[in-house]
Amino acid sequence: MLFTSEYSMKMGIGEALLTAVIGIATVLMILAIIALLIMLVSKIIRSIEAKTAKLADTGAPASPTAAPPAAVPLPDTESQGELVLENVDEPTAAVIMAIVSNKSGIPLNRLCFKSIKLLEDDKK
Amino acid sequence: MEMIKNVLVGLWEASGINALFAGGVFQWRNLVMILVACVLLYFAIAKKCEPLLLVPIAFGILLANLPGAGLMDDPTGLMDTSNVVAGAHWYETGVLRLIYAGVKSSVFPCLIFLGVGAMTDFGPLLSNPVSLLLGAAAQLGIYVAFIIAILMGFTPQEAASIAIIGGADGPTAIFVASKLAAELLGPIAIAAYSYMALIPFIQPPIMKLLTTEKERKVEMKQLRKVSKTEKIVFPVVVLLICAFILPSVAPLLGMLMLGNLFRECGVVERLSDTAQNALMNIVTIMLGLTVGATANGQNFLQIKTLMIVALGLLAFCFSTAGGVLLGKLLYVITKGKVNPLIGAAGVSAVPMAARVAQTEGRKYNPTNFLLMHAMGPNVAGVIGSAVAAGFLLAMFK
C-alpha cells in the first residue's frame, strides 16, 4: 500500500501524471517480458520437437518390427506427413497441393508431400 | 371489526406502496431505477444487447429497487454498516446481500476469469507475441481516465476504480472497484458492461479517424501453427512472470491461467467443460444479479454516476486509440505488414473487439481476414487489463 487513507483524499496532478506514466510503463514492460519469453520458449520447444521428429523419422526404418501407424483416417482436406516449404508461402502451397490432388484424382489425405520449393526467382 | 381494521392497517404498512412513501418522503429514485431496469430488459431481450449479462443485471436493479422488499438489507452490518439494527441476526440479511458476498470477496470475478481462461485460445497470441504490446498499449485509456478523474476531484481510489473501465473487462472492473471503492461498484460495473456491449458503435469512428485507407487494407501473413506443448507451457510462464512482479494480480491471472491450463492440458476435459459452461453460467447469474442489485436508486441517481459514465466512455475511447496508434507504429516498423486496425482489439472485450476489427477490415478490403490476427491483441488485452488492475491495487489498496 503506497497511498494510505490520509493520502487518499487528495492527489496532485503531478503525482497523478507520474502514477499514470509508471502504470502504463509497468503494463508495457510486463507484457513485453512475456512476449520475449514466449518467443524464447516457443523457439526451444520447436527445436526440441523438430529434433524428436527427426529422430523418429531416422529411427523408423531401423525397427522393422515397429507397429504400423494407427489407421486413423485423415480428414479429406489434409495430406499426410510433414511438409517443408522453401521460399513458398502457405496459401500457395495449399493451392499447389489442391491442384495435384484434383488433377491426379487422388484424395488429399492419401497424398504425402515432402517439400515444395521455389526453383526460380522472378527477379532473376 | 377492530381485528379486520388492524389486519388491513398491518397489510398497508407492510406494503411496497407504503414503503414508497417511507418517512413521509416520496422515494421517486426507486421508481426511476425500476424504469431503467425495464429499459435495460428491453435492450437485452428485444435488441439482444449482451443478453447473458444484461438480463440478470437489469433484473437485479429491479429487485433491489422494489420498495420494502429488502433484498439488499444488511441489518447486521455484514458488508454495509450504515443501517445496522440492534439484535439482528445474519439470517435476516437480504438474500441478494448474502449472494453479494461473492462480489465483495472477489470470488465471483475470479471464477469468471477461470471460465474465461477455459474458453480462450491463446494460439493467435503465441504465434504472434508482438500482439502483447498491442494489448498493453490499449490500456492507455485507464491511465488517461485516472488523471482526468483526479482532476475532477475523485479520490485516487475512486479514480483508479473508474479508470479500470477502460480495460473493457467487466470482472476486472468489479474486482478493482470492490476493493478500492465499493460504494461506486454499481455504476462502474454497469458502465463497463454497457460500453462492452456498445463496442461496435464506439470503436469504428476512432479506428477510421486514426488510420489511412491504405493501412486499413493491409492483408496480414497467415499465423503459424502453435504446438500443444507451447499452449500448455504458456499459462504457467505468464502467471509466474506476472505474479512475481505484481503479486496483487495473482487472484485474477491465476484463475485465468488455471482455466486455460484445464483447456489445453487435455487430461481434465470434465473440469474444462464445467469451467466453460456450468460454472460460468452459475457465476454469471449471481454476479449479474448482485451487481445490478447494487444500483439502488438512493445512491445510484447522483451526479457522480453521470461523471463515472462519462469517464468510462473516455477511457474506452483512449484505450482504442492507444491500441490503434501502436498498431500504426508497428505498421511503419514492419514496413506495412501489420494492419493497425487489429490494435483496437487490444481493449480486451473478447471476442467483440476482434470481431469489430474483422468487420472494419473487410469494409475496405473484402478479401481481408483479420479475425485471427485481432484475437492475439484481444486476449493480450485480458492479460493487460489484469496487470493494470494489479498495478492500481498495489498502489491504492
Side-chain angles (χ1 to χ4, degrees), chain B residues 77-92:
Chain B
L78 204 64
M79 281 162 265
D80 178 9
T81 51
S82 59
N83 288 310
V84 178
V85 178
H89 296 282
W90 72 268
Y91 45 77
E92 291 167 50

Side-chain angles (χ1 to χ4, degrees), chain A residues 1-3 8 11 13 16-17 19-20 22-24 26-28 30-35 37-39 41-42 45-46 49 90-91, chain B residues 126 129 132-133 136 140 143 146-147 150-151 155-157 222 224 227 229-230 233-234 238 241-242 245 384 387-388 391 395-397:
Chain A
M1 182 166 65
L2 299 180
F3 296 91
S8 71
M11 186 186 226
I13 180 66
L17 264 170
T19 308
I22 295 171
I24 193 80
T26 306
V27 176
L28 270 166
I30 293 180
L31 268 65
I33 292 171
I34 295 172
L37 267 170
I38 288 174
M39 287 179 198
V41 171
S42 293
I45 291 172
R46 274 186 286 166
E49 283 177 345
E90 285 187 19
Chain B
L126 290 168
L132 276 156
L133 297 180
L140 176 72
Y143 299 99
F146 174 77
I147 295 167
I150 291 287
L151 283 174
T155 66
Q157 282 78 4
Q222 200 179 359
R224 75 170 175 87
S227 74
T229 317
E230 286 175 80
V233 171
F234 171 76
V238 170
I241 297 166
C242 294
I245 300 174
V387 172
F391 172 80
M395 286 283 128
F396 302 115
K397 194 180 164 192

Side-chain angles (χ1 to χ4, degrees), chain B residues 246-377:
Chain B
L246 270 177
S248 52
V249 83
L252 280 182
L253 265 188
M255 296 303 262
L256 180 78
M257 293 306 158
L258 173 65
N260 192 248
L261 191 62
F262 282 167
R263 174 196 171 93
E264 302 298 350
C265 69
V267 291
V268 286
E269 298 279 323
R270 279 165 49 199
L271 301 188
S272 173
D273 177 55
T274 304
Q276 287 183 44
N277 300 298
L279 182 65
M280 189 74 167
N281 291 339
I282 291 168
V283 181
T284 301
I285 293 170
M286 301 222 187
L287 184 78
L289 202 57
T290 48
V291 161
T294 57
N296 185 293
Q298 308 309 322
N299 48 36
F300 192 86
L301 292 178
Q302 295 176 6
I303 296 293
K304 230 177 191 180
T305 304
L306 288 178
M307 288 159 83
I308 291 168
V309 169
L311 280 167
L313 179 62
L314 197 79
F316 246 75
C317 294
F318 272 98
S319 286
T320 304
V324 175
L325 289 175
L326 190 72
K328 277 174 82 82
L329 182 66
L330 291 177
Y331 170 84
V332 175
I333 292 170
T334 60
K335 296 186 177 96
K337 284 180 184 161
V338 172
N339 189 320
L341 292 180
I342 66 164
V347 299
S348 193
V350 182
M352 276 170 292
R355 280 196 206 131
V356 171
Q358 157 75 8
T359 311
E360 289 304 302
R362 287 194 82 149
K363 271 187 198 167
Y364 299 94
N365 180 358
T367 60
N368 212 351
F369 197 78
L370 290 175
L371 186 65
M372 289 318 286
H373 300 285
M375 280 308 289

